[in-house]
Amino acid sequence: QVQLVESGGGLVQAGGSLRLSCAASGRTVSSYAVGWFRQAPGKERELVAAVTQTGSIAYHAVSVQGRFAISRDNAKNTVYLQMDSLKPEDTAVYYCTADPQWGGRTAGEYEYWGQGTQVTVST
């Protein structure tokens, strides 16, 4: 069993930056596929960024390419999402996720989830 706890969300002005952290416990997730999804009110949960098993392949949604970056610190069993040049449309609850298999681009392909952290970007 893996527990994931997100932190780092908050209110930020457009153009600002935030770094989200996802602390994993219970098991080491260094060999898991990990990712970040976000969900805005009335919308489906969408993939923001993910890293495959071993971290050899990273994916970032087109909407955040050049602005967001996923990374992981295996020694700390932690996953990060650095968010720069934030826009109001980035406002959502951000969820950390992990899967011991292959991961993917849809929420249903991930087994473990955090509770989410709210990111609000004001104009």
Coordinates of all heavy atoms in Angstrom, one line a residue, residues 2-3 12 18-19 29 31 41 45 48 53 64 68 70 76 84-85 93 97 99 106 113:
V2 N 0.5 2.2 -0.8 CA 1.2 3.4 -1.0 C 0.3 4.6 -0.6 O -0.8 4.7 -1.0 CB 1.8 3.7 -2.4 CG1 2.4 5.0 -2.5 CG2 2.7 2.6 -2.8
Q3 N 0.9 5.5 0.3 CA 0.1 6.7 0.6 C 0.9 7.9 0.0 O 2.1 8.0 0.0 CB 0.1 6.9 2.1 CG -0.7 5.8 2.9 CD 0.1 4.6 3.1 OE1 1.2 4.6 3.5 NE2 -0.6 3.4 2.8
V12 N -1.8 32.2 -6.1 CA -0.7 32.9 -6.8 C -1.3 33.7 -7.9 O -2.3 33.4 -8.5 CB 0.3 31.8 -7.3 CG1 -0.3 31.0 -8.4 CG2 1.6 32.6 -7.7
L18 N 4.8 28.1 -8.5 CA 4.6 27.2 -7.4 C 5.3 25.9 -7.6 O 5.5 25.5 -8.7 CB 3.1 26.9 -7.1 CG 2.2 28.0 -6.6 CD1 0.7 27.6 -6.7 CD2 2.6 28.4 -5.2
R19 N 5.7 25.3 -6.5 CA 6.3 23.9 -6.6 C 5.4 23.0 -5.8 O 5.4 23.2 -4.5 CB 7.7 23.9 -6.2 CG 8.4 22.5 -6.5 CD 9.8 22.4 -6.0 NE 9.9 22.4 -4.6 CZ 11.0 22.1 -3.9 NH1 12.1 21.8 -4.6 NH2 11.0 22.0 -2.6
V29 N 8.6 4.3 -4.2 CA 8.0 4.5 -5.5 C 9.0 4.8 -6.6 O 8.6 5.3 -7.7 CB 6.9 5.6 -5.5 CG1 5.8 5.2 -4.5 CG2 7.5 6.9 -5.1
S31 N 10.6 3.0 -8.5 CA 10.4 2.2 -9.7 C 9.0 2.2 -10.3 O 8.7 1.5 -11.2 CB 10.8 0.7 -9.4 OG 9.9 0.2 -8.4
P41 N -13.5 22.4 -11.7 CA -14.9 22.2 -11.5 C -15.6 21.9 -12.8 O -15.4 22.7 -13.8 CB -15.4 23.5 -10.8 CG -14.2 24.0 -10.1 CD -13.0 23.7 -11.0
R45 N -10.8 14.8 -14.9 CA -9.4 14.8 -14.4 C -8.5 14.6 -15.6 O -8.6 13.7 -16.4 CB -9.2 13.8 -13.4 CG -7.9 13.9 -12.6 CD -7.9 12.9 -11.4 NE -9.0 13.3 -10.5 CZ -9.1 12.7 -9.3 NH1 -8.2 11.8 -8.9 NH2 -10.1 13.1 -8.5
V48 N -1.4 16.1 -16.4 CA -0.6 17.3 -16.5 C 0.8 16.8 -16.9 O 1.4 17.3 -17.9 CB -0.5 18.1 -15.2 CG1 0.5 19.2 -15.4 CG2 -1.9 18.6 -14.9
Q53 N 8.0 4.2 -15.6 CA 8.9 3.4 -14.7 C 10.3 3.7 -15.1 O 10.7 3.8 -16.3 CB 8.6 1.9 -14.8 CG 7.3 1.5 -14.2 CD 7.0 0.0 -14.3 OE1 7.2 -0.5 -15.4 NE2 6.6 -0.6 -13.3
V64 N 0.9 22.7 -20.9 CA 1.9 23.1 -19.9 C 3.3 23.0 -20.3 O 4.2 23.4 -19.5 CB 1.7 22.4 -18.5 CG1 0.2 22.5 -18.1 CG2 2.1 20.9 -18.7
F68 N 5.7 23.9 -17.0 CA 5.7 22.9 -15.9 C 6.8 21.9 -16.1 O 7.1 21.6 -17.3 CB 4.4 22.2 -15.8 CG 3.2 23.1 -15.4 CD1 3.3 24.4 -15.3 CD2 2.0 22.5 -15.0 CE1 2.2 25.2 -14.9 CE2 0.9 23.2 -14.6 CZ 1.0 24.6 -14.6
I70 N 8.0 18.0 -14.3 CA 7.9 17.0 -13.3 C 9.3 16.4 -13.0 O 10.1 16.4 -13.9 CB 6.9 15.8 -13.8 CG1 6.7 14.8 -12.7 CG2 7.5 15.1 -15.0 CD1 5.7 13.8 -13.0
K76 N 14.4 10.9 -1.4 CA 13.3 11.4 -0.5 C 12.0 10.8 -0.8 O 11.0 11.1 -0.1 CB 13.2 12.9 -0.7 CG 14.5 13.6 -0.2 CD 14.3 15.1 -0.4 CE 15.5 15.9 0.1 NZ 15.4 17.4 0.0
D84 N 5.7 27.2 -13.5 CA 6.1 28.6 -13.7 C 5.2 29.2 -14.7 O 4.4 28.5 -15.4 CB 7.6 28.6 -14.3 CG 8.6 28.1 -13.3 OD1 8.5 28.3 -12.1 OD2 9.6 27.5 -13.8
S85 N 5.2 30.5 -14.8 CA 4.4 31.3 -15.7 C 2.9 30.8 -15.6 O 2.2 30.6 -16.6 CB 4.9 31.1 -17.1 OG 6.2 31.6 -17.3
V93 N -7.7 21.5 -8.8 CA -7.1 20.7 -7.8 C -6.1 19.8 -8.4 O -6.4 19.1 -9.4 CB -8.2 19.8 -7.0 CG1 -7.5 18.9 -6.0 CG2 -9.2 20.8 -6.3
T97 N -0.2 11.0 -8.4 CA -0.6 9.6 -8.6 C 0.6 8.7 -8.9 O 1.7 9.2 -9.3 CB -1.6 9.5 -9.8 OG1 -2.1 8.2 -9.8 CG2 -0.9 9.9 -11.1
D99 N 1.7 4.4 -10.0 CA 1.3 3.1 -10.4 C 2.5 2.1 -10.5 O 3.5 2.5 -11.1 CB 0.6 3.1 -11.7 CG -0.2 1.8 -12.0 OD1 -1.3 1.7 -11.6 OD2 0.4 1.0 -12.7
T106 N -4.4 8.3 -18.8 CA -5.7 8.5 -18.3 C -5.7 8.1 -16.8 O -4.9 7.3 -16.4 CB -6.8 7.6 -19.0 OG1 -6.4 6.2 -18.9 CG2 -6.8 8.0 -20.5
W113 N -3.5 7.4 -5.3 CA -3.8 8.8 -5.5 C -3.6 9.5 -4.1 O -4.0 9.0 -3.1 CB -5.2 9.0 -6.0 CG -5.4 8.5 -7.4 CD1 -5.8 7.3 -7.8 CD2 -5.3 9.3 -8.6 NE1 -5.8 7.2 -9.1 CE2 -5.6 8.4 -9.7 CE3 -5.0 10.6 -8.8 CZ2 -5.5 8.9 -11.0 CZ3 -4.9 11.1 -10.1 CH2 -5.2 10.2 -11.2

